Amino acid sequence: MKNLKAFLSALGSHLSSESILTDPHECNAYGTDWTRQVANVSAVLLPRSTDQVAKILSLANELEIQIVPSGGRTGLAGGAVASKGEVVLSLSKMNRIDSVDRLSKTVRVQSGAITEAVHEHCKQSGLLWPIDLAAKGTCEIGGNLSTNAGGVRVIRYGMTRKWVTALQVVTMQGEIIELNRNLEKNNTGYDLLQLIIGSEGTLAVITEATLKLTRLPRFKNIFLFSVTSLEQMARLCEEANFGPFHITAFEFFSQKCLHTVQEKLKRISRIGDTAPFYVLMEIERSSNDLSEVEEWLGKILEESLVVDGSLAQSSEDEKASWGLREGITESIAVTGPVRKYDVAVPVSQMVPFLTEGQKMFSRMNLSIDLYLFGHFGDGSPHFNLVKKPDCSMQEFSNQCDRFEIELFALLKRYGGSVSAEHGVGNLKKHWVTYSRTNRELELYRSIKKAFDPKHLLNPGKILDI
Ligand code: MLT
Ligand code: ZN
């Protein structure tokens, strides 16, 4: 990359030598994410402070160096991929977590803090940052914010953007900007904090955030259900909406997903595995008295709203139930190459959309496997296509492309979104017009120009300029 030498040498007086990596093997590990795209990284920078980030960005802007911000790199849309010789700016060393403010129920963290470490920290004060993802042990707060991550509790708490009261960001020009200063109410025009959240590192680099917290649920329970059909699943969800509790997760998976988790990860299910679909439902209650919940479960079973249903009786049971749902991604990854579609439709359209999607898949007579799972309760199913051993890589790719066209056409008919929670990155940008109008995209380009007129920050993500 032009000017790289001058850039790194100028940085030498601001960053220690351990903060600048140039060995290609070491660097490329920072240029990919869970999409496993091939990386090509010129250098990796590991700043220890916001001032260092500001220095890096202002120099990069001056010397026209392309920068890819990077967190835990667990993304599934290629938002953190550096494949064109860009410099990766990893925030991982900036992982400070401050004391919890118990009065305002907030905590200030740096971008590189691991999500699970933030959960553990807040738990000690009886508080919760309610964004919960299967990748929580590896993903970082900066990545969660940049992608406006979803996860398994959106049905109760919403997406990441609801749980932030302040951001510190650095622009490509090296300015440090504090957004919203932890105000619960701030009704003064455009909300730049919300604009940065979900912008996938294309507008500015998030260095710190104040996260909004809520009380930890007092009593939690986890059910596993098997159902005969999607219609039955929807009836169960509707019934649960009016149960003596709050639903905190209503997740589903197909029999194929269950069998793969059982086989590949040796996870055990405490209900039978002969039904076509399964539901993991988590609830929270304010009272210790389980009798109402047991009564509700009895009614569900008696009225044959499910094939089978079971309430976890111990924390081991609960862990095992979540292990089935959260192990799906890993079990699929070890099965073969995968194409992921993380789409959204209105919850009321889940049944017809999924029914049509499955029928379409069968009709196309493809020689690939379909794994269906995801977040039923908030209308975001995941279609995962997995290569069979006897299908060539080229054939797999062609077949996925064919399915993709049909899936997105179907999605358009249902008024859905091509990304519910994984973001656009470089994988979904060609489909963004299915979810956003041309006028919206024109405005996107103007916003990008206002922040980063030279197009140096996370180039090629969300849209091509
Ligand atoms: C999930 O719901 O488990 C995540 O979005 C990851 C995935 O889609 O594989
Ligand atoms: Zn998901």
Side-chain angles (χ1 to χ4, degrees):
M1 184 188 276
K2 209 174 116 226
N3 292 341
L4 181 69
K5 234 170 131 188
F7 175 61
L8 295 180
S9 124
L11 279 180
S13 41
H14 303 281
L15 267 69
S16 67
S17 57
E18 307 90 77
S19 298
I20 305 177
L21 311 181
T22 49
D23 170 61
H25 185 68
E26 211 179 352
C27 285
N28 282 344
Y30 284 84
T32 192
D33 59 12
W34 282 8
T35 60
R36 301 187 190 172
Q37 294 178 60
V38 179
N40 171 14
V41 175
S42 293
V44 176
L45 305 173
L46 296 152
R48 263 55 178 185
S49 69
T50 299
D51 284 342
Q52 288 184 344
V53 174
K55 199 71 221 170
I56 291 167
L57 292 182
S58 68
L59 266 171
N61 197 42
E62 195 182 311
L63 295 172
E64 307 209 336
I65 300 289
Q66 295 184 326
I67 299 285
V68 175
S70 160
R73 297 184 304 281
T74 59
L76 292 166
V81 167
S83 59
K84 298 191 169 67
E86 302 95 327
V87 169
V88 170
L89 173 59
S90 165
L91 279 297
S92 294
K93 301 285 181 209
M94 292 174 56
N95 56 8
R96 196 192 73 239
I97 306 175
D98 290 349
S99 318
V100 166
D101 179 337
R102 287 168 52 89
L103 177 61
S104 65
K105 295 203 260 81
T106 57
V107 66
R108 182 82 169 178
V109 303
Q110 284 183 308
S111 271
I114 301 280
T115 307
E116 194 166 43
V118 173
H119 289 165
E120 289 306 315
H121 179 79
C122 298
K123 203 170 163 182
Q124 287 159 27
S125 303
L127 293 168
L128 170 72
W129 191 59
I131 306 307
D132 197 352
L133 316 140
K136 58 182 170 270
T138 314
C139 62
E140 295 174 8
I141 295 296
N144 298 160
L145 300 171
S146 300
T147 56
N148 184 29
V152 293
R153 299 216 167 77
V154 171
I155 187 172
R156 172 79 169 126
Y157 297 106
M159 306 276 281
T160 296
R161 63 169 75 258
K162 285 181 77 172
W163 297 95
V164 189
T165 56
L167 280 186
Q168 180 190 70
V169 303
V170 183
T171 65
M172 200 58 211
Q173 296 73 37
E175 304 144 306
I176 301 169
I177 307 183
E178 303 286 341
L179 296 171
N180 199 50
R181 304 181 311 279
N182 200 14
L183 296 169
E184 185 65 50
K185 291 177 147 181
N186 184 4
N187 222 353
T188 46
Y190 306 130
D191 192 339
L192 295 179
L193 175 143
Q194 290 298 341
L195 181 62
I196 299 292
I197 297 175
S199 66
E200 301 188 33
T202 61
L203 300 182
V205 174
I206 299 171
T207 43
E208 290 193 16
T210 304
L211 306 178
K212 185 170 158 161
L213 310 172
T214 185
R215 292 278 299 274
L216 272 171
R218 290 191 65 199
F219 303 102
K220 266 204 315 201
N221 294 104
I222 289 149
F223 298 89
L224 272 184
F225 294 109
S226 54
V227 292
T228 53
S229 63
L230 292 164
E231 285 80 2
Q232 205 179 37
M233 194 185 303
R235 274 201 300 280
L236 172 66
C237 187
E238 196 175 317
E239 198 63 39
N241 281 339
F242 298 93
F245 43 70
H246 280 296
I247 305 174
T248 50
F250 195 98
E251 300 285 303
F252 84 108
F253 42 96
S254 67
Q255 188 187 43
K256 199 170 189 60
C257 295
L258 176 65
H259 286 174
T260 304
V261 175
Q262 288 175 320
E263 188 199 321
K264 301 279 158 82
L265 305 185
K266 307 285 171 249
R267 305 262 160 103
I268 315 278
S269 167
R270 56 175 202 281
I271 57 172
D273 63 0
T274 53
F277 288 107
Y278 299 83
V279 171
L280 181 153
M281 183 171 87
E282 187 188 77
I283 58 162
E284 85 182 43
R285 297 172 292 115
S286 48
S287 134
N288 193 9
D289 179 10
L290 245 191
S291 58
E292 268 192 341
V293 172
E294 283 168 344
E295 206 177 296
W296 180 85
L297 177 61
K299 186 176 143 229
I300 295 297
L301 291 168
E302 202 177 300
E303 290 177 5
S304 298
L305 266 178
V306 295
V307 177
D308 198 0
S310 155
L311 179 60
Q313 298 297 328
S314 62
S315 57
E316 284 75 36
D317 270 4
E318 292 181 353
K319 245 170 120 176
S321 305
W322 270 118
L324 295 174
R325 167 61 185 88
E326 296 197 318
I328 294 171
T329 303
E330 188 187 341
S331 67
I332 290 176
V334 297
T335 301
V338 53
R339 254 309 171 100
K340 287 179 173 288
Y341 299 101
D342 129 59
V343 298
V345 289
V347 181
S348 58
Q349 298 301 308
M350 278 290 274
V351 174
F353 172 72
L354 289 175
T355 306
E356 277 201 62
Q358 287 183 107
K359 276 195 191 141
M360 188 182 83
F361 179 80
S362 308
R363 220 178 25 244
M364 290 178 80
N365 213 4
L366 305 170
S367 51
I368 48 185
D369 281 324
L370 169 65
Y371 289 74
L372 201 55
F373 65 102
H375 320 284
F376 188 91
D378 58 47
S380 64
H382 298 316
F383 285 74
N384 280 210
L385 303 180
V386 178
K387 188 177 109 43
K388 286 185 179 171
D390 53 357
C391 178
S392 71
M393 208 45 216
Q394 187 56 52
E395 186 54 21
F396 172 65
S397 174
N398 293 344
Q399 296 206 4
C400 290
D401 289 348
R402 279 177 50 208
F403 178 75
E404 182 166 303
I405 293 169
E406 300 290 331
L407 178 71
F408 287 158
L410 179 67
L411 194 65
K412 203 168 182 180
R413 277 207 280 120
Y414 277 87
S417 168
V418 297
S419 176
E421 56 174 1
H422 297 168
V424 178
N426 61 3
L427 288 188
K428 298 281 149 49
K429 66 181 174 184
H430 306 296
W431 294 106
V432 98
T433 50
Y434 275 62
S435 299
R436 301 290 184 200
T437 62
N438 286 338
R439 181 66 189 129
E440 278 178 289
L441 295 178
E442 225 174 82
L443 291 168
Y444 276 24
R445 289 193 171 87
S446 313
I447 292 167
K448 170 73 175 167
K449 202 168 166 192
F451 277 89
D452 175 24
K454 298 182 182 175
H455 306 147
L456 298 170
L457 197 51
N458 216 6
K461 310 297 162 49
I462 303 184
L463 27 81
D464 288 319
I465 301 297

